[in-house]
């Protein structure tokens, strides 16, 4: 059976911490836990897999801004951790009410540890139990895959193969196409439902383990065949049943179900060519290889294309929306998914490349699917052979955005709400600086151009560099800059006057304008 949060909190190693759960309730205590981890790092979410009980001493949280605490909660909730346990007292007398409210909004259970306990001892005690449980799950999952392989060898139908998995996990299972068309389903004899078809509302919860309409938990596992997404396994587990076993068994069944799909519905040549083309793009294969593969995937070798890098908690959901949109618009495309990154190459018309790319940016913002995804669209590759460069620029745009957010002042570091679409053409200057100029040369250039401004900010805790950046990015529009910085126009004029004095005069109408702008943007990469 799975190990639930309630059991862990009742274990002597944690019970002595006098834990209080926010919000209280049976559902919170029934939350399955995959692992116990401890960290004070507020940017820990990308390093987690989901299902963890995260222990936090509260020291970093005590000095963090409200915006940073909210971002911390949001990122952990999106990662799908089981719960966040925070030690109170000392540096953090209590968990901030605003933080608890955000956790409730995002559906993240928070445990307040009101007494000090050694986190190392907690992890050793609980994780040893979890390891024993995992071994048992692996043994059961391997038994399921052996039985499924035997059925496959005897030519059984998809329903019969799925029936083996349903019987061992005690769950209803369904195999669908990437677009949701049912290809097979099964349920154990004791299942009380709709004949083995998992509830659509429950399945929508995905891997996050959200409860479905009938008090059930849905798990979704992608089934690739030769690099092509051919199906999706949906497992519906009754509330209180062994969700961990269903997770492990579903993941272990991927290869067998892939072979079954290959036998019953083999992928077409077009799909295989698209997957091979994307692998070539991802590995920066030689130009001749890309040109050789492109026609089979529906891309004329000389046609322009653009590559998007998409990071999402549930990339498979967004992939379906992207591919449906592109197919309905008859736009050539090929996609490849690797963990939390989805890479999509999209063909553009030669007669209106710029306009088509602009419309594509707008469409990516409005697509259905994971609204917390971050999408970066690379620059136009003049031909398919340059697709790897477009992808590299898209990924670099994501990195530059992260650096910008980290270096931004607290008042301008707003948490993301909704899907973020990043245009790599907006970060072309930073990309050039990172790839063509070494760090020491960048630093020397920034110092020569902005030394007086940087020293002024350091000595007087002013924001002249930020003001200069906003003003230059706005095209030297003083009124717009004042609005963005929440300043009165007179205050904005005073700041600009001081900046001009430090920089040797008003740069407008001189060659210094371009060099100042370049220096400001390079300073943001530090």
């Amino acid at each position: 059976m799975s190990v639930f949060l309630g059991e862990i909190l009742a274990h002597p190693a944690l019970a002595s911490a006098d834990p209080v759960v926010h919000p209280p309730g049976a559902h919170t205590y029934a939350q399955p836990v995959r692992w116990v981890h401890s960290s004070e790092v507020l940017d820990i979410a990308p390093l987690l897999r989901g299902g963890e009980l995260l222990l936090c001493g509260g020291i970093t949280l005590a000095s963090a801004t409200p915006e940073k605490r909210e971002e911390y909660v949001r990122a952990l909730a999106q990662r799908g951790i089981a719960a966040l346990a925070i030690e109170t007292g000392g540096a953090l007398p209590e968990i901030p009410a605003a933080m608890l409210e955000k956790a409730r909004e995002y559906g993240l259970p928070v445990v307040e540890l009101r007494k000090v306990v050694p986190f190392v001892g907690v992890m050793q005690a609980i994780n040893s139990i979890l390891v024993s449980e995992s071994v048992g799950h692996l043994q059961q999952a391997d038994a399921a895959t052996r039985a499924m392989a035997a059925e496959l060898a005897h030519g059984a139908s998809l329903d019969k193969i799925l029936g083996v998995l349903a019987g061992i996990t005690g769950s209803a299972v369904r195999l669908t196409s990437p677009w949701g068309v049912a290809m097979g389903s099964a349920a154990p004899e004791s299942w009380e439902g709709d004949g083995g078809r998992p509830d659509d509302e429950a399945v929508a919860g995905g891997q996050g383990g959200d409860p479905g309409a009938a008090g059930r938990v849905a798990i979704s596992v992608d089934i690739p065949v030769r690099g092509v997404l051919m199906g999706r396994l949906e497992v519906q587990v009754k509330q209180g049943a062994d969700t961990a076993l269903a997770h492990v068994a579903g993941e272990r069944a991927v290869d067998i179900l892939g072979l079954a799909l290959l036998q019953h519905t083999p992928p077409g040549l077009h799909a295989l060519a698209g997957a091979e083309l994307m692998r070539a793009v991802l590995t920066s294969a030689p130009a001749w290889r890309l040109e050789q593969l492109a026609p089979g995937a529906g891309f004329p070798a000389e046609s322009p294309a653009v590559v998007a890098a998409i990071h999402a908690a549930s990339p498979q959901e967004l992939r379906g929306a992207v591919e449906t949109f592109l197919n309905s618009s008859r736009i050539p495309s090929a996609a490849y998914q690797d963990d939390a990154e989805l890479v999509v190459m999209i063909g553009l018309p030669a007669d209106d490349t710029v306009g088509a790319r602009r419309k594509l940016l707008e469409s990516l913002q409005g697509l259905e699917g994971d609204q917390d995804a971050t999408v970066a669209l690379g620059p136009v590759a003049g031909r398919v052979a340059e697709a790897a460069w477009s992808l590299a620029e898209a990924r670099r745009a994501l990195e530059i955005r992260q650096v910008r957010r980290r270096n931004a002042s607290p008042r301008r570091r707003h948490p993301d709400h909704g899907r973020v679409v990043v245009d790599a053409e907006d970060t072309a200057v930073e990309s050039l600086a990172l790839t063509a100029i070494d760090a020491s040369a960048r630093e020397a250039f920034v110092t020569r151009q902005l030394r007086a401004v940087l020293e002024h900010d350091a000595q007087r805790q002013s924001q002249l560099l930020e003001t200069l950046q906003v003003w230059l990015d706005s095209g030297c529009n003083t009124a717009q800059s004042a609005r963005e910085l929440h300043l009165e126009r007179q205050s904005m004029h005073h700041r600009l006057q001081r900046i001009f004095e430090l920089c040797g005069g008003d740069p407008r109408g001189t060659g210094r304008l371009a060099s100042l702008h370049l220096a400001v943007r390079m300073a943001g990469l530090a």
Side-chain angles (χ1 to χ4, degrees):
M1 291 293 291
S2 298
V3 179
F4 300 105
L5 180 60
E7 300 174 67
I8 292 176
L9 297 181
H11 190 282
L14 258 181
S16 58
D18 195 12
V20 174
V21 180
H22 305 275
H27 171 63
T28 302
Y29 285 99
Q31 186 77 23
V33 175
R34 186 185 60 80
W35 196 250
V36 181
H37 186 67
S38 169
S39 176
E40 294 297 308
V41 178
L42 297 187
D43 296 324
I44 189 66
L47 303 180
L48 303 176
R49 288 183 53 197
E52 293 92 349
L53 168 60
L54 180 63
L55 307 177
C56 174
I59 298 173
T60 311
L61 281 173
S63 59
T65 63
E67 293 80 10
K68 187 62 179 176
R69 292 170 183 162
E70 179 180 337
E71 175 67 17
Y72 177 61
V73 169
R74 185 189 66 82
L76 292 176
Q78 286 185 339
R79 204 61 177 172
I81 71 167
L84 170 64
I86 303 174
E87 189 176 272
T88 55
L92 189 71
E94 62 181 12
I95 302 175
M99 189 175 173
L100 290 176
E101 181 59 33
K102 283 299 175 183
R104 185 179 296 108
E105 177 184 331
Y106 292 124
L108 175 64
V110 175
V111 181
E112 181 180 358
L113 305 178
R114 297 183 293 182
K115 294 181 180 178
V116 177
V117 292
F119 284 176
V120 172
V122 172
M123 290 187 290
Q124 287 178 341
I126 306 302
N127 287 338
S128 62
I129 298 173
L130 294 171
V131 168
S132 299
E133 290 287 332
S134 297
V135 171
H137 289 149
L138 287 173
Q139 291 173 340
Q140 290 177 275
D142 287 342
T145 54
R146 287 194 296 270
M148 293 169 72
E151 293 290 351
L152 177 64
H154 288 88
S157 66
L158 286 174
D159 285 351
K160 193 166 185 180
I161 295 171
L162 291 170
V164 175
L165 184 61
I168 288 182
T169 61
S171 307
V173 297
R174 180 173 61 158
L175 190 62
T176 72
S177 71
W179 301 275
V181 178
M183 295 188 287
S185 62
E189 294 180 0
S190 60
W191 184 263
E192 296 177 3
D194 48 6
R197 179 184 175 87
D199 297 335
D200 290 339
E201 187 175 344
V203 168
Q207 291 188 356
D210 294 333
R216 298 166 186 165
V217 175
I219 300 164
S220 179
V221 181
D222 286 347
I223 310 295
V225 177
R226 297 178 182 172
V228 180
L229 181 63
M230 286 296 294
R232 185 164 293 123
L233 174 67
E234 297 168 348
V235 184
Q236 188 175 301
V237 189
K238 289 183 179 179
Q239 190 70 36
D242 197 343
T243 308
L245 173 59
H247 267 289
V248 174
E251 291 172 354
R252 301 286 276 198
V254 166
D255 291 340
I256 295 298
L257 291 175
L259 291 173
L261 284 174
L262 191 61
Q263 185 180 90
H264 290 85
T265 55
L269 293 176
H270 184 276
L272 291 174
E276 192 64 30
L277 174 63
M278 292 309 298
R279 278 194 289 268
V281 170
L282 290 165
T283 57
S284 300
W288 65 266
R289 179 58 175 161
L290 295 173
E291 292 171 350
Q292 181 185 58
L293 293 170
F299 291 87
E302 298 300 323
S303 69
V306 66
V307 182
I310 302 173
H311 292 185
S314 301
Q316 67 276 6
E317 177 187 349
L318 195 55
R319 176 175 182 166
V322 171
E323 291 185 337
T324 299
F325 160 71
L326 295 174
N327 290 336
S328 65
S329 304
R330 298 186 178 181
I331 300 174
S333 66
Y336 198 92
Q337 183 180 323
D338 182 17
D339 293 331
E341 183 183 54
L342 171 63
V343 177
V344 186
M345 186 165 77
I346 304 160
L348 298 175
D351 56 346
D352 186 20
T353 303
V354 175
R357 185 181 182 277
R358 184 174 60 252
K359 292 178 181 177
L360 181 60
L361 273 168
E362 297 170 356
S363 300
L364 289 172
Q365 180 68 61
L367 284 179
E368 297 293 331
D370 190 342
Q371 290 301 311
D372 289 319
T374 302
V375 181
L377 190 66
V380 174
R383 47 208 298 265
V384 171
E386 300 172 3
W389 165 76
S390 181
L391 172 59
E393 291 298 303
R395 287 172 167 170
R396 191 171 293 116
L398 290 175
E399 296 172 2
I400 291 169
R401 176 180 177 275
Q402 288 294 98
V403 173
R404 280 177 170 176
R405 282 174 58 81
R406 186 168 62 245
N407 292 343
S409 63
R411 64 177 177 176
R412 300 189 66 215
R413 195 184 302 136
H414 305 299
D416 294 330
H417 295 291
R419 184 175 305 144
V420 176
V421 178
V422 181
D423 187 351
E425 292 188 348
D426 289 342
T427 59
V429 168
E430 288 88 346
S431 178
L432 177 65
L434 287 171
T435 56
I437 308 174
D438 64 59
S440 60
R442 291 199 306 269
E443 183 179 355
F445 181 79
V446 169
T447 301
R448 285 194 296 269
Q449 296 293 325
L450 300 170
R451 183 193 304 274
V453 173
L454 295 172
E455 289 178 350
H456 188 282
D457 280 352
Q459 293 169 3
R460 306 194 183 188
Q461 300 299 306
S462 57
Q463 292 88 37
L464 295 187
L465 180 63
E466 178 188 33
T467 302
L468 179 59
Q469 178 185 349
V470 172
W471 182 68
L472 290 169
D473 285 346
S474 72
C476 304
N477 187 321
T478 303
Q480 179 181 329
S481 302
R483 285 193 299 271
E484 184 172 343
L485 292 167
H486 307 291
L487 293 174
E488 296 290 338
R489 292 190 63 176
Q490 192 62 32
S491 298
M492 183 69 193
H493 281 293
H494 282 314
R495 282 197 188 183
L496 286 176
Q497 189 60 41
R498 184 59 179 144
I499 291 170
F500 296 161
E501 292 171 0
L502 294 170
C503 293
D506 189 337
R508 285 173 289 192
T510 73
R512 289 186 295 107
L513 185 68
S515 59
L516 272 180
H517 202 175
L518 177 60
V520 166
R521 296 185 73 161
M522 287 170 58
L525 299 175

